């Protein structure tokens, strides 16, 4: 079987390594890459648009069994799907669908306030607004720091607890960079915590093996 290409649309090699480490329990099915021409954190709508073009170009030029867009804004998802007949999985869609399989209401932790509008547009497109307990932002941290900085982890834990109190039975991590803290956050909060990259990769693997 050809490998599944997991594309981190930012340029942070540390985030890409964290994604690869998180996916290791699923086996040697994944090739994780980033886009060196992108910013280290996808923060603005312009970042999303530019990263989407780069991601679509990588899909177009790199044969794989399936593709996973490893950024919570799903940059280039529709464009990439139009360029290949192979499965292309967006992690925001995958994370939300997985959370709804675990609980009635889900919550999302966003990197910063500017991300929420983009996420809400996708939630409306998916038609699942009634299942959203809430989305709360961090204070605008980098993708790398979101999964590796202890000060940021304290903020993530507090935010997760607030979402739990708002009724969220499952919490989706709103950035691929948070992958290294998923299990720890679930232990600390007692709430199901969804790593959307793992969710997307599992869907891609199921599509390929099925």
């Amino acid at each position: 079987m050809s490998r599944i290409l997991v594309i981190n649309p930012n340029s942070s090699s540390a985030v890409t390594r964290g994604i690869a480490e998180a996916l290791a329990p699923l086996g040697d099915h994944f090739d994780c890459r980033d886009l060196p021409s992108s910013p280290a954190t996808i923060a603005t709508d312009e970042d999303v648009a530019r990263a989407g073009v780069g991601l679509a170009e990588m899909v177009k030029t790199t044969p794989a069994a399936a593709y996973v867009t490893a950024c919570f804004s799903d940059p280039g998802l529709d464009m990439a799907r139009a360029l290949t007949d192979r499965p292309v999985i967006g992690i925001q869609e995958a994370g939300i669908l997985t959370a709804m399989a675990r609980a009635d209401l889900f919550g999302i932790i966003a990197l910063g306030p500017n991300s929420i509008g983009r996420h809400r547009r996708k939630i409306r497109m998916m038609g699942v607004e009634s299942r959203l307990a809430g989305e709360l932002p961090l204070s605008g941290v980098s993708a790398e720091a979101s999964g590796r900085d202890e000060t940021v982890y304290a903020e993530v834990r507090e935010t997760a607890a607030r979402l739990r109190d708002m009724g969220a039975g499952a919490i989706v991590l709103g950035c691929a960079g948070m992958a290294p803290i998923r299990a720890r956050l679930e232990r600390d909060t007692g709430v199901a915590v969804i790593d959307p990259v793992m969710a997307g990769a599992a869907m891609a693997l199921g599509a390929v093996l099925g």
Side-chain angles (χ1 to χ4, degrees):
M1 182 188 78
S2 299
R3 300 181 84 196
I4 295 166
L5 182 59
V6 180
I7 306 171
N8 167 24
N10 71 41
S11 59
S12 172
S13 58
V15 170
T16 306
R17 288 195 302 273
I19 290 170
E21 291 166 3
L23 296 182
L26 294 181
D28 187 27
H29 302 293
F30 304 97
D31 179 10
C32 300
R33 304 188 191 181
D34 48 51
L35 298 180
S37 61
S38 288
T41 297
I42 306 296
T44 67
D45 287 348
E46 181 179 357
D47 292 338
V48 173
R50 292 182 183 278
V53 172
L55 182 142
E57 183 63 24
M58 184 173 284
V59 168
K60 184 178 180 180
T61 58
T62 310
Y67 304 87
V68 177
T69 68
C71 169
F72 201 70
S73 292
D74 286 346
L77 178 61
D78 292 333
M79 195 184 330
R81 284 174 172 166
L83 295 172
T84 179
D85 60 357
R86 307 306 302 161
V88 183
I89 309 296
I91 67 167
Q92 183 177 358
E93 291 181 352
I96 289 171
L97 292 171
T98 301
M100 292 193 303
R102 297 285 303 274
D104 180 33
L105 297 177
F106 68 93
I108 299 173
I109 300 176
L111 273 187
N114 292 338
S115 302
I116 291 180
R118 291 194 300 275
H119 299 167
R120 290 294 177 89
R121 288 194 293 271
K122 174 57 74 72
I123 291 167
R124 286 196 297 272
M125 289 171 62
M126 294 176 68
V128 297
E129 290 175 279
S130 64
R131 302 283 296 274
L132 177 67
E135 178 170 10
L136 297 175
L138 302 178
S139 54
V141 303
S142 71
E144 181 177 347
S146 70
R148 298 179 181 275
D149 186 291
E150 282 299 313
T151 302
V152 174
Y153 179 76
E155 185 180 356
V156 172
R157 185 176 58 194
E158 179 182 352
T159 304
R162 289 172 60 196
L163 287 168
R164 179 192 60 202
D165 294 344
M166 292 165 64
I171 294 171
V172 185
L173 301 176
C175 178
M178 297 184 192
I181 63 172
R182 189 212 67 80
R184 178 183 178 189
L185 186 63
E186 187 168 275
R187 289 194 301 269
D188 287 350
T189 61
V191 179
V193 176
I194 308 301
D195 169 14
V197 179
M198 178 69 81
M203 286 186 183
L205 188 59
V208 170
L209 296 180

